[in-house]
Amino acid sequence: MSISPYQYQLLTQSFATLKPNFHCFCVSLHTQLKRYELEFAMPSSPKHLLTVEHSIQTFLSEGIALLPQQSALVDLITQHKLHFDALKLSEQDIAVLCHTMLETLQLHLGRQFTLALRNAWRKALHMFANIIKSVVFQTSNVVNLQSFRQQKQQQFSTIR
């Protein structure tokens, strides 16, 4: 899965819009996340929240910049594996984070959050989520075609 140049442009422009008031965006995101039962530990002290906000902004900025080069994005996420491990994220937490991120983007971008922008963010977050799951949980959504064919052939043989 790759991102089109137009989608990349939409992402970079919308993130640039969020940057000057990223603290407000993170407060909204944090508020949205409180509505869900999450396994990972969210920091609650204001000092920790500011540190996390800065880390999120830096990570998103670097991640968005690397979206066109997926192998570099994998390297970035691998570099942050210890942070993800420390959060004790579950796969469900990642899905909730992506969903609340979209809701918060819509809230903060207002009319700018067009269908095209929503689709661009959805695709980008899907890419982030899949790579994070791959790095943190050693899972993959890629199916080896040869293994798939062998499995189907075995199933067919047992039916006979």
Side-chain angles (χ1 to χ4, degrees):
M1 175 184 281
S2 65
I3 201 141
S4 74
Y6 176 66
Q7 289 174 321
Y8 181 73
Q9 179 185 8
L10 289 173
L11 290 169
T12 55
Q13 287 173 345
S14 63
F15 191 70
T17 301
L18 294 173
K19 269 186 173 181
N21 204 5
F22 198 74
H23 172 71
C24 189
F25 175 81
C26 286
V27 169
S28 295
L29 181 63
H30 189 257
T31 302
Q32 295 274 356
L33 288 171
K34 285 181 182 180
R35 298 183 319 169
Y36 298 94
E37 299 251 346
L38 299 170
E39 292 182 30
F40 80 97
M42 291 191 312
S44 56
S45 76
K47 181 182 177 182
H48 287 283
L49 283 175
L50 288 174
T51 305
V52 169
E53 286 174 18
H54 177 70
S55 297
I56 292 170
Q57 182 176 5
T58 303
F59 177 77
L60 282 174
S61 184
E62 291 174 4
I64 290 169
L66 295 175
L67 275 171
Q69 302 95 26
Q70 287 184 26
S71 61
L73 181 58
V74 171
D75 292 341
L76 173 71
I77 290 172
T78 302
Q79 290 170 8
H80 287 275
K81 184 183 184 316
L82 291 176
H83 296 109
F84 291 119
D85 288 342
L87 288 172
K88 296 182 177 18
L89 286 170
S90 71
E91 290 190 49
Q92 182 62 32
D93 290 343
I94 294 170
V96 169
L97 280 166
C98 290
H99 174 74
T100 54
M101 183 83 170
L102 281 172
E103 287 179 347
T104 309
L105 286 163
Q106 183 174 2
L107 178 70
H108 281 266
L109 293 172
R111 286 189 206 156
Q112 288 179 299
F113 200 68
T114 62
L115 182 59
L117 182 57
R118 179 180 187 77
N119 288 337
W121 272 105
R122 186 179 295 177
K123 185 181 256 187
L125 291 170
H126 183 73
M127 290 168 65
F128 278 120
N130 283 339
I131 295 170
I132 291 169
K133 287 176 189 177
S134 173
V135 168
V136 173
F137 304 111
Q138 288 81 41
T139 60
S140 176
N141 63 349
V142 178
V143 176
N144 181 314
L145 186 58
Q146 187 62 29
S147 298
F148 179 77
R149 285 180 179 161
Q150 287 175 347
Q151 185 180 22
K152 286 293 183 187
Q153 194 170 32
Q154 287 174 349
Q155 288 175 349
F156 183 72
S157 297
T158 58
I159 293 173
R160 288 180 167 187

